[in-house]
Amino acid sequence: MANSNGASGPVFHGAAVWQTSRFRIDLAQPRVMGIVNVTPDSFSDGGAHASTATALRHCEQLLKEGADILDIGGESTRPGSPAVPLDAELARVLPVVREAVKLNVPLSIDTYKPEVMRAVLDLGADIVNDIWALRQPGAREAVAAHPNCGICLMHMHRDPQTMQTLPMQGDVIPEVLAFWDAQLAPLKALGIDPARVTLDPGVGFGKSVAQNFALLGRQPELLAAGYPLLLGWSRKSSIGAVTGIDNASGRTVPSVAAAVLAVDRGAAVVRVHDVRDTVAALAVWRAMRAETPQNQQTSQEQ
């Protein structure tokens, strides 16, 4: 995927590129990942795209709105949500993936089950986006068996059933960095190319409201890990907590604000429900950056 305007951006392991199964995604400009929940119980849009037909229509709509990547999930991971049996997740996800790979865009699958990983990668999916950071038995081997697939490792404290009943304590930044170090070590031992990896600090996954906003305010510190960052602020409860907006679907404006702030602090990918509004806001952000004295000087030198 080509960078549209040639602007420079963060460089990770020698290149601002995310290697995936079928695509080398240019990260010199931030990328928008559109959320496709094939679930009846997602916290924000549960049931709206639960059938294969409606999910595919939603995929097409998100692409029209400017999504660079599609992220398909068959199990809700909202706090307190029950685990979905393997057969049910496969039945939800595989028919959508089988058709969505024909859209010729990077396709991410939000799953922690190695059996689902293997099945979707065999169908041609590009990225495994794992809230468990490949800690489930067999997950690392599943992605290692597909030598080019992209990987996103997310930090999560505890599990979806208990993470917000007993959220983590203390300074969130060193905890997240230490967690990433621990999960990256076995990938390196398996010979997995670092260009395949992005990292997600897990906004809302076992953290207090203050800790979540510390992740945003101190996000540049997370870049010390040396990998591109993927951030998912869209419609999260912490946004509701500071805005007073109880209805998740009513949090579009503050979600877009959080996405732009995350990008301004170095995020390479933002995972969002509201693609059109996020893409428009990032166009304003890019225009502002193009007119800064530093970028104007760089352009003149070129």
Side-chain angles (χ1 to χ4, degrees):
M1 298 177 62
N3 179 10
S4 60
N5 61 10
S8 62
V11 175
F12 309 96
H13 295 285
V17 169
W18 189 6
Q19 176 65 58
T20 74
S21 295
R22 299 176 295 165
F23 302 89
R24 287 174 58 82
I25 303 174
D26 183 359
L27 299 180
Q29 285 292 326
R31 297 297 171 181
V32 174
M33 174 183 277
I35 298 170
V36 183
N37 288 318
V38 193
T39 61
D41 58 347
S42 170
F43 82 97
S44 178
D45 56 359
H49 318 298
S51 74
T52 300
T54 56
L56 289 170
R57 284 198 293 271
H58 190 53
C59 288
E60 293 169 350
Q61 181 61 36
L62 294 182
L63 294 177
K64 290 177 182 177
E65 293 176 1
D68 300 296
I69 306 166
L70 297 175
D71 188 54
I72 297 171
E75 177 174 335
S76 174
T77 53
R78 60 180 168 73
S81 59
V84 171
L86 172 62
D87 290 349
E89 185 176 348
L90 288 170
R92 293 173 182 177
V93 170
L94 293 190
V96 180
V97 173
R98 191 172 287 112
E99 296 302 317
V101 293
K102 301 174 185 177
L103 297 172
N104 199 34
V105 295
L107 199 63
S108 167
I109 310 303
D110 182 356
T111 187
Y112 60 85
K113 297 182 179 72
E115 298 89 347
V116 178
M117 295 176 193
R118 287 192 291 268
V120 297
L121 291 171
D122 287 344
L123 286 176
D126 300 286
I127 298 160
V128 169
N129 180 15
D130 184 2
I131 65 167
W132 279 90
L134 302 179
R135 288 179 288 156
Q136 295 293 326
R140 294 177 186 129
E141 291 74 16
V143 297
H146 287 263
N148 290 318
C149 74
I151 300 164
C152 182
L153 303 178
M154 196 193 78
H155 174 273
M156 177 174 61
H157 177 67
R158 302 178 68 91
D159 56 58
Q161 290 73 45
T162 63
M163 61 189 179
Q164 291 306 122
T165 59
L166 293 169
M168 63 186 295
Q169 302 292 315
D171 189 345
V172 67
I173 302 297
E175 290 287 339
V176 169
L177 289 171
F179 174 88
W180 283 339
D181 279 344
Q183 307 317 316
L184 287 164
L187 298 190
K188 293 175 183 176
L190 288 169
I192 290 176
D193 184 351
R196 296 170 56 187
V197 179
T198 64
L199 302 177
D200 181 346
V203 173
F205 282 79
K207 302 169 183 72
S208 67
V209 172
Q211 287 171 331
N212 286 325
F213 282 99
L215 290 174
L216 181 58
R218 297 169 60 191
Q219 186 180 294
E221 295 177 45
L222 299 176
L223 292 170
Y227 290 80
L229 298 182
L230 188 155
L231 269 293
W233 274 96
S234 188
R235 304 183 182 180
K236 292 290 177 72
S237 61
S238 286
I239 289 176
V242 300
T243 62
I245 302 173
D246 293 331
N247 183 4
S249 62
R251 298 171 188 159
T252 296
V253 171
S255 293
V256 170
V260 173
L261 288 168
V263 164
D264 197 56
R265 286 158 172 77
V269 183
V270 285
R271 182 179 181 272
V272 305
H273 297 86
D274 303 292
V275 168
R276 180 185 60 186
D277 295 313
T278 304
V279 168
L282 289 176
V284 175
W285 174 83
R286 280 194 298 271
M288 177 200 71
R289 278 180 51 88
E291 294 303 317
T292 61
Q294 180 180 358
N295 286 340
Q296 286 183 334
Q297 179 64 32
T298 300
S299 178
Q300 290 169 1
E301 290 173 354
Q302 293 176 345

